[in-house]
């Protein structure tokens, strides 16, 4: 079980009680572009996922944490380490805040900072990377704020509303290793 505390938010491991929240997030078509989701998920599949969410990152090759504002309040977003590669000491990182009214309040910044620190200082990762649509200015600003550098563009990578969009890859190298 992981809990990472910041000044105004904390990150915690997913719990069985998060079923409806994760179900709503995974089936919200408005965020499928940033989550690389193409089809809806059933409650059954999400329940199975939550039952296995307590696996160690070395087993699961991913870590998904709930973003919470207060210990008495439910999750407002999710932040992930994915494609965890312990041999090369790297992982992808992604974040999504469910409701628009919770965005732009420094929640994403604080959550990203907590997970970067956990990845670099607890998991001893050498690098993190993020795949971001080139038209997602808010995410680009968030990641570059923490030193992520654009290292390339994947042309016509995302098909959205019958139009192809480019996706940039951003990388952050741990200078402490």
């Amino acid at each position: 079980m992981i809990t990472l505390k910041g000044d105004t938010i904390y990150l915690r491991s997913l719990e069985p009680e998060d079923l409806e929240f994760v179900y709503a997030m995974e089936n919200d078509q408005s965020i499928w572009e940033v989550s690389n989701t193409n089809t809806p998920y059933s409650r059954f599949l999400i329940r199975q996922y939550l039952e296995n969410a307590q696996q160690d990152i070395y087993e699961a090759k991913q870590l998904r944490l709930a973003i919470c504002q207060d210990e008495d309040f439910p999750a407002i977003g999710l932040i992930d380490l994915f494609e965890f590669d312990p041999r090369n000491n790297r992982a992808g990182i992604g974040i999504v805040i469910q409701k628009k009214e919770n965005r732009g309040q420094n929640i994403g910044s604080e959550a990203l900072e907590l997970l970067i620190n956990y990845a670099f200082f607890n998991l001893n990762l050498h690098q993190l990377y993020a795949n971001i649509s080139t038209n997602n200015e808010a995410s680009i600003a968030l990641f570059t704020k923490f030193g992520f550098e654009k290292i390339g563009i994947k042309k016509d990578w995302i098909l959205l509303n019958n139009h192809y969009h480019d996706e940039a890859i951003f990388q952050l190298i741990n200078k402490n290793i």
Side-chain angles (χ1 to χ4, degrees), residues 49-154:
Y49 169 76
L50 289 173
E51 288 171 4
N52 294 316
Q54 302 307 321
Q55 281 184 320
D56 185 87
I57 188 171
Y58 291 91
E59 288 178 82
K61 304 295 184 221
Q62 66 178 7
L63 174 67
R64 174 170 276 187
L65 299 172
I67 302 169
C68 303
Q69 288 181 296
D70 188 301
E71 292 186 28
D72 297 329
F73 291 98
I76 60 169
L78 298 169
I79 190 164
D80 302 327
L81 291 176
F82 60 90
E83 295 178 5
F84 174 66
D85 180 350
R87 182 181 184 282
N88 295 297
N89 294 318
R90 66 176 171 239
I93 189 167
I95 183 172
V96 63
I97 306 294
Q98 184 182 35
K99 296 180 181 173
K100 289 182 181 177
E101 60 264 21
N102 288 328
R103 298 175 193 159
Q105 296 181 11
N106 208 38
I107 294 167
S109 289
E110 194 170 345
L112 187 58
E113 183 175 24
L114 286 169
L115 196 56
I116 290 169
N117 287 335
Y118 178 79
F120 283 174
F121 299 109
N122 292 80
L123 298 176
N124 296 313
L125 293 185
H126 175 63
Q127 62 182 287
L128 295 169
Y129 63 90
N131 301 303
I132 306 171
S133 174
T134 56
N135 62 2
N136 188 340
E137 295 174 11
S139 286
I140 291 170
L142 173 63
F143 281 85
T144 56
K145 172 182 175 180
F146 289 97
F148 280 79
E149 296 178 19
K150 183 169 63 174
I151 60 167
I153 300 283
K154 296 180 262 183

